Amino acid sequence: MKTNKFIISIIIVILWSCEKSIDVDFPNTQIDVTQVFENVSTADGALSNLYAEMYSFSVLNGGTAGSGALLGSYTDDLNCYMAASLGGAPDIFNNQQLSSNSVIKNSWANSYKQIYLANSIIIGVDASSGIATKDKNRIKGEALFLRSLIYFYLTQMFGDVPYTTTTDFTINQKIGKMNDIEVLTTIHNDLMLSIDLLEDNYRNTDRIYPNKKAAEMMLAIVCMQENKWSQAENLLKDIKSNSLYAWEPDVSKTFKKSGKHILWQFKPLQANLPTNEASMYYFTTAAPTGYALSNDLVNAFEITDLRLQKWITKITVNQNVFYRCNKYVNAVNNSDEYSIVFRMEEVNLLLAEALVRQNRKEEALPLLNAVRQKAGNSNLGLLSNEQILEELLNENRREFFAEKGNRFLTLKRFGQLDQLNTVKPNWQNFHKVWPIPLNDLLLNPNLNPQNPGY
């Protein structure tokens, strides 16, 4: 056992010490990962490290490194008030990102660190003879799910990206890019395997580890991006019909960890700590030095909308008005909030979209209206397909602002990212993807060509 813990520590240290491109994000010391997984406890230890890494540094991180803040400010939901001299995040907010942008570099590097760890877990459990089949299925299923999720965000943010499934540095340091369509197909196939391996029952009552339905949710999101509306519909209906889940009618309880509307969420790393979101968005008596909600977002709500009343707080500082994101409210002594990744409101809106794209608007409208009713808004009457899609685009924004880059992902799926040029003066068509980090291109020429426009 001491040997196994020592080897896990070596892997963790190596992962944290890597700072540069894809060829050096992967350790250049070959470790026999089968030694790590002689039993289920050591394999679970490696998996726990991956969850901790993702909570703190991944695109799902609820703080400044996450897609909620970065993609929310890249689009039109958030304003960034960081000092312009910092460059990274302010340049993303102003749509002036370059290939040398430090935040983009870190997003890329952290993602591939996490992919390396997921790959090592998958390879380790496949090779292990000391873990029961049921545990091997669970561990591999979760690792495949997490890797798929990271790759999905990478291809949405960067387009064509390297897709590696190995820990062999001689391969990873020279790997080229896979085109974005093939990346989605590969993610799709990995998620199908993950679904086969995972069970519906959660291994923790707080739903802090993904189950089969979370993997189905991720696959439905991928199917929506692939225009596979019927397959997405079936997956989403399977989630809605499962007795594990229930609709939460109270807006004020949406972000409470005990809700049955939650499919999957991240737990803070220590007891009573606030979520990353609560810490990052909080300000009260002074002007924000991080992020605040944009006027354009606030103006998108009806005045009677309960989300405007409950999730947005108006702060006036020296006659200047700012709007604080107030979805997570426990800035200290947090006992009832975790960072939610998937919830039933997204199931409803995705299913409504999948149906209307199959010309079944009569079935789609009640799903959209359920989200509106929860927010205290009136039902929409019968509309055209185009009108319902426009309402779904707007409702996604009002429901999921500052959450995991939903605004960027939805605009991209709808083919409407270029509408940002009405409120973002520096927006250009090529901004639909970010640049590949310059250092990575220099270290691995096989990552060329650079994305157009950069």
Side-chain angles (χ1 to χ4, degrees), residues 148-417:
S148 298
L149 189 152
I150 297 166
Y151 272 129
F152 177 77
Y153 273 88
L154 278 172
T155 193
Q156 294 305 296
M157 294 189 296
F158 294 98
D160 301 346
V161 296
Y163 200 108
T164 179
T165 59
T166 182
T167 57
D168 187 338
F169 83 102
T170 62
I171 296 174
N172 291 325
Q173 68 178 348
K174 298 177 180 179
I175 194 170
K177 293 185 289 188
M178 181 184 287
N179 74 70
D180 58 350
I181 295 174
E182 190 176 353
V183 171
L184 283 177
T185 300
T186 308
I187 295 170
H188 185 122
N189 293 336
D190 281 350
L191 285 168
M192 291 288 288
L193 178 55
S194 175
I195 289 167
D196 286 341
L197 294 171
L198 293 173
E199 299 179 352
D200 277 348
N201 291 332
Y202 287 94
R203 66 183 179 103
N204 181 285
T205 57
D206 283 338
R207 305 185 177 191
I208 57 175
Y209 303 111
N211 66 344
K212 181 189 291 285
K213 290 296 176 283
E216 289 180 2
M217 179 65 175
M218 190 65 233
L219 180 57
I221 292 170
V222 172
C223 287
M224 296 295 288
Q225 202 68 40
E226 296 177 300
N227 296 346
K228 295 180 178 178
W229 316 123
S230 178
Q231 187 172 353
E233 174 194 347
N234 292 335
L235 289 162
L236 295 163
K237 283 184 173 178
D238 188 51
I239 296 169
K240 279 185 66 67
S241 65
N242 194 288
S243 60
L244 285 168
Y245 308 107
W247 188 256
E248 174 52 68
D250 188 343
V251 166
S252 65
K253 295 180 180 178
T254 301
F255 297 95
K256 299 304 180 185
K257 69 179 185 181
S258 60
K260 289 189 68 177
H261 64 296
I262 297 168
L263 277 72
W264 177 45
Q265 57 190 341
F266 278 114
K267 179 181 179 179
L269 298 183
Q270 296 181 32
N272 298 319
L273 283 183
T275 63
N276 289 328
E277 294 88 346
S279 297
M280 180 181 65
Y281 291 119
Y282 187 79
F283 64 96
T284 180
T285 59
T289 57
Y291 294 94
L293 303 177
S294 70
N295 289 340
D296 191 72
L297 169 66
V298 174
N299 291 335
F301 289 86
E302 298 175 44
I303 193 66
T304 56
D305 197 308
L306 295 176
R307 295 168 297 193
L308 178 64
Q309 301 171 24
K310 301 289 187 180
W311 297 352
I312 299 175
T313 299
K314 182 179 179 180
I315 305 288
T316 302
V317 180
N318 296 329
Q319 298 183 326
N320 295 312
V321 174
F322 304 96
Y323 295 96
R324 185 179 73 208
C325 179
N326 219 39
K327 287 183 169 181
Y328 296 92
V329 298
N330 298 331
V332 295
N333 299 323
N334 174 33
S335 62
D336 62 356
E337 292 178 348
Y338 292 165
S339 295
I340 298 171
V341 182
F342 296 144
R343 52 190 176 94
M344 290 300 291
E345 292 83 357
E346 188 172 11
V347 175
N348 257 42
L349 293 182
L350 284 174
L351 179 54
E353 181 186 341
L355 290 167
V356 77
R357 292 192 187 278
Q358 298 176 80
N359 297 311
R360 292 156 63 189
K361 60 185 181 183
E362 292 83 2
E363 298 173 65
L365 199 57
L367 296 163
L368 169 57
N369 279 333
V371 179
R372 290 181 54 82
Q373 289 169 12
K374 176 179 175 178
N377 296 323
S378 60
N379 285 345
L380 297 172
L382 192 59
L383 304 170
S384 68
N385 284 353
E386 292 73 19
Q387 289 172 321
I388 294 178
L389 286 173
E390 185 65 23
E391 289 296 334
L392 282 167
L393 184 64
N394 295 334
E395 202 61 44
N396 266 287
R397 186 185 193 189
R398 290 187 287 259
E399 183 68 26
F400 297 108
F401 64 88
E403 291 185 57
K404 59 190 179 66
N406 182 279
R407 176 66 168 165
F408 175 83
L409 299 176
T410 306
L411 284 170
K412 191 166 191 174
R413 187 173 69 248
F414 276 62
Q416 294 194 34
L417 273 172

